[in-house]
Amino acid sequence: MNNSRALIILILFTAAFIFIGSRLFTVQIIKHDYYVKLARSQQQGKKIVKAQRGIIKDRDGSVLAYSKDDITFSVDTRMTDEAERRMIASKFASVFNGDSSKYFSLMNAKRGNVCLAKKVSLIDALLLEGYNPDCLIRDEELSRIYPYGRLASHLLGFTNYEVKGVAGIERNCDEELSGKNGEIYFEYNGKGEIIGVNEDISVKPLNGAIVELTIDKTYQTILEEELYAGIAAQQAESGVGIIMNPQTGEILAMANYPTYDPNNLKNSDNDSRRNRAVSDTYEPGSTMKPIIMSALLDKNLVREDEVINTENGVYRIKNTPIKDAHPYRKLTVREIIEHSSNIGISKLSDRLSGKELYKHLRDFGFGQITSVDLPSEAPGFLKKPSQYSALSKAYISFGYEISVSPLQMAAAYSALINGGILYKPYAVKQIVGAEGNLIKKNVPLKIRRVIKQSTSETIKSFMQGVIENGTAQKARLTCVMAGGKTGTTQQLIGGAYSGKKFNSSFVGFFPVENPTTLILIYIHSPKKKYYGGDVCAPVFKNIAERLIEADIKIVPQKCRIKRDDKFVNQIVKNIKQNEELNDEFLTLNVPDPSDEKKETEPVEDARTSIPNLLEKTKREAIAVVSNLGVNFKVFGTGNVVSQSIKAGEPIEKGRLLILRCKPANKLKGLRIN
Amino acid sequence: MKISHKIQDRFDLAIFIPVVFLIIIGLAAIYSSTINHPVAGGNFQRQLFWVFFSFTAMIIVYFLPSQTFRLLSAPIYVFSILLLIAVLVFGKSVYGARSWLSFGGVGFQPSEFAKIGLIFFLSYWFNQKNRNINNLKDVGVGLLIGLFPVMLILLEPDMGTAIIFIVITLALIFWNGISLFGLFIVIAPGFTFFASMLGVYYFYAALLLIIAVLFLFKRDLFLSAAIFGMNLATGFILKYALPLLQPHQQKRIESFVNPMADPLGAGYNALQARLAVGSGGLFGKGFMQGNQTQLRFIPEQWTDFIFCVIGEEFGFIGSILIIVLFTFLFLRLIKISSNLQNRFSSSLLVGIVTLLFTHFVINIGMNVGLMPVIGVPLPFLSYGGSSLLMIMMLIGVALNISKNKR
């Protein structure tokens, strides 16, 4: 009898064995990973230890951006009892001059981490040094400081709330600057107390690298001060300044207006944060002429002393007039640059095939990004030969139908004056890791030879003539020979060229013999004057003279010159003579101090005499004339084709001015050098 | 050779060796879980002392004359009942249960001692001459012998121990030859009660099942109706019994139904035990390497949750080894029991096996989430003096019976 009952018991044992065994198998083998994860989640806590963001320095080691550590204090209320919370509340109240009951109710509100003091500076946090109850958690937070505020703010860029670079160098070198966050793994016991750190799997943070720029803080300061002064004087809307080493492509300074303070981003808009020097483009105007001229010289298509008929100020291509601001009968090739003759360069540009012109400009870097180590670069616009109209070559030759960024122009001019080699512009000198290891070192990068050495020398002397004899005499420096070229364009607004809004620019360099410094000034919408020679050349001169004063190396002793008073007086005398002299004077080939020609100032003239209204749009003409206080009548639509009172005649009250207009190609409005 | 053969033959190593292994593993697990503990650091030494003390007791019991057990049955039972009453009056309350008596600083649980009394006296009662297990009066008295201590223990209250008493009582009734119908009558109310605990639909299903079985047995209508009425009545016991339980025990029953509902509350221990066992994997994390154990996620792990120390640190292999050792011991005891001519001794062995098996199933069940957490130690392994002493004395009894079996 007992055997059958024993069997039942045996079956029961077997069932229990299988039941428990299979359950163990499920828990320990099949769901092992699940339980491991669950167990680890309660046994281990991970805390990210933020790496400190790297420093940005200028070329001499001045710190332009650094990170500041803040500490945020929070309390894990699960680890506290009421008495302890009270103690913590009174401690915080005494340290931070707060209300003890406020802290106390904060801690009572939630089980878990409660933040008591946010972003306490390191100095304030010292007051809590040594106060270390188990439940108190210190969280270091990083914020970005730009000690010089607005200085080079567009170039440096800024970081977002996560301290991640979103503009400028901060963005481009974000990976290097960020470093690597560390991780600390805590072990918790059954009560939720931290009992230690697991060193085996914890990783120390690697702080961000030090980025050393090619920027010179002194240069940058001078550039910004003078650029802003120039913009303020002209009540202009915006402007860009670049200082570059033409021998290497290093950007020594880069300034923009409007500007902003990266320490206080809230008070600025996107427009003021944009680095116009790389991301905005403009039609360069006459600054394009030396580049076209270099192609002609390089291909032996012109002789330096060749005389070109400049048609006394108006020249028609396919019935479209090309005009010079100051009419000349004839000019030598050199004078075409010096006096910035649209007609001259237009005629010469016809000697280049469309393909040659395109290739030449392409070689100089137009129409493509320079690959500078700054974000948001604009490639500009370069017309392909297949798209050329009959006028394209002429217009391109004096800087229309092409758009360039200021940085492209600075790089192209560097090639023009450094012997003919295009360098890639760059703003980062080197990047050094937090442990002193060199991560990256930038050296001047030759992209290509664009013109011959001899061509470069000739163009330099032409551009020296621009300052000594031509349109940019306001850029003349007292102690060194400089070269440069002015540029003025009407802005293309709504498909038509405006007669009121201009882009003025000047690119200059010194010393002429062996240029160490290239300065580009671009001012958008100046209101007082508009010629590059009036608006930008004086800014160049101010910057250059201050640079020479600040940095003795910039002009070697052998390049220094001395202009005596006699020489200056001679110039003044010549200017007076020139005004009376006839055209023959202008055909002289050899530059001579007596060649000085003062640029006229039409805006001032306009107040006392009738301005030239030809080729202005009807709208512009009305705007100009109505300000003069003259009675006038306008017939037709389009551009002004005739005016009843000739330009330059004095304004007489009561006399009627009749303007006739005809519809015209928008390009017919072009009339400025 | 002859002597050694004789010793081996008489001292049942098949019982003794698994026991020794289990105790050694248990000591290792207690060491691992307490040696770095701020409060329980001395537990390993204390347990070591109890191990020697218990082995001594086992040896003494082993050498007792075989008639002693029969003679002592009634006195032990009566004495243990007196102790159970005493503990309700003088007892010390631990975790809501008044189950500890203190003798000069040494704690002692009378309910452990009462287990011996129950096994002995029930075996004695059913194996008196003229007893007929299928006689309603005799089985009724047997049930009363079992249920009287159960009642006293429920008053402590200690649900886990009470269940063990009930299971032992039922097992001995079964082993001593009750008919199938008789067994049905005895078991059915317990079954219905358990079903009513799970919910009202389970209760209805259980009642339907009982009606079906009653039809199968084809007994007279009056008896069938009486049995059905009895089962129906048990369904309402819960309503009146549940408030008798301590709040922490009520919660444990709830958390058994849904242990994840309140992971930091009553289900906390069950969940933490499973995390420990589950994270052990195949080979375990190694001795003293279980972070769930070493970081003390399971309170008082060295008592009822000693198995999860083994599960975590020795893995699936270690856990299965424990189960194999226990099963081997159970099979050995049952084998001896079924071959015995002496009904009293046979019954004693079955009582011992039932005691060990119930502890084993409930304890491991609650360690791996098969059972609610009801505070039952794992024999040989859990920390605790009176439990180990009681069990080793019963092993002494088993060895004694094995010695005298021929």
Side-chain angles (χ1 to χ4, degrees), chain A residues 597-608:
Chain A
K597 174 87 179 100
K598 192 173 171 269
E599 206 173 344
T600 52
E601 292 172 349
V603 177
E604 281 182 8
D605 289 347
R607 290 177 190 162
T608 54

Side-chain angles (χ1 to χ4, degrees), chain A residues 1-6 8-10 12-13 16-17 19-21 23-25 27-29 31-36 38-39 42-43 187-191 195, chain B residues 174-175 177-178 260 268 272 274-275 277-282 291-292 295-297 307 311 315-316 319 323 327 330-331 334 343 353 357 360 364 368-370:
Chain A
M1 179 196 74
N2 268 351
N3 275 343
S4 63
R5 297 199 177 219
I8 290 173
I9 291 174
L10 285 182
L12 220 68
F13 287 168
F17 182 86
F19 203 47
I20 291 174
R23 176 68 179 184
L24 280 171
F25 188 78
V27 170
Q28 296 196 286
I29 310 292
K31 292 178 88 175
H32 172 60
D33 292 339
Y34 166 75
Y35 285 115
V36 165
L38 218 62
Q42 66 175 12
Q43 290 158 359
E187 284 199 328
Y188 291 105
N189 68 7
K191 290 178 186 168
I195 56 155
Chain B
F174 169 73
W175 187 251
I178 197 167
M260 303 298 256
Y268 175 81
Q272 292 302 338
R274 220 176 321 148
L275 288 187
V277 173
S279 63
L282 181 59
N291 25 24
Q292 191 75 0
L295 296 172
R296 301 192 279 278
F297 274 84
F307 180 76
F316 184 66
S319 311
I323 298 174
T327 309
F330 299 154
L331 294 178
I334 280 294
R343 298 293 312 148
V353 168
F357 181 71
F360 165 78
I364 293 185
V368 296
L370 285 172

Side-chain angles (χ1 to χ4, degrees), chain B residues 296-311:
Chain B
R296 301 192 279 278
F297 274 84
I298 303 151
E300 308 257 334
Q301 198 178 3
W302 47 92
T303 59
D304 296 348
F305 287 102
I306 198 72
F307 180 76
C308 62
V309 178
I310 296 153

Side-chain angles (χ1 to χ4, degrees), chain A residues 99 144 156 173 192 233 338 363 416 443 449 475 657:
Chain A
D99 185 2
R144 202 67 173 152
L156 295 174
C173 301
E338 287 177 357
D363 281 352
L416 206 55
V443 289
R449 174 169 282 283
L657 172 65

Side-chain angles (χ1 to χ4, degrees), chain B residues 16-30 44 47-48 50-52 54-55 58 322 325-326 379-382 388 391-392 395:
Chain B
F16 187 68
I17 288 172
V19 167
V20 170
F21 270 110
L22 287 170
I23 286 175
I24 289 171
I25 295 170
L27 282 172
I30 290 166
F44 176 71
Q47 183 72 359
L48 208 55
W50 277 107
V51 166
F52 284 114
S54 305
F55 266 103
M58 181 199 80
I322 299 289
L325 286 172
F326 268 110
F380 311 115
L381 289 103
S382 282
L388 186 66
I391 284 165
M392 288 307 282
I395 291 298

Side-chain angles (χ1 to χ4, degrees), chain A residues 623-634:
Chain A
V624 172
V625 176
S626 58
N627 282 337
L628 295 173
V630 192
N631 296 331
F632 65 95
K633 265 193 173 167
V634 186

Side-chain angles (χ1 to χ4, degrees), chain B residues 43-110:
Chain B
N43 282 9
F44 176 71
Q45 272 102 329
R46 275 194 282 272
Q47 183 72 359
L48 208 55
F49 163 76
W50 277 107
V51 166
F52 284 114
F53 189 69
S54 305
F55 266 103
T56 315
M58 181 199 80
I59 298 296
I60 291 167
V61 173
Y62 172 69
F63 283 114
L64 287 176
S66 55
Q67 306 92 320
T68 328
F69 304 138
R70 186 180 280 272
L71 291 172
L72 285 177
S73 291
I76 292 173
Y77 181 75
V78 172
F79 184 59
S80 63
I81 292 295
L82 290 175
L83 283 176
L84 284 176
I85 294 167
V87 83
L88 289 175
V89 182
F90 308 109
K92 193 171 65 171
S93 202
V94 177
Y95 297 123
R98 192 178 286 268
S99 61
W100 287 82
L101 272 181
S102 191
F103 292 113
V106 182
F108 169 74
Q109 278 184 294

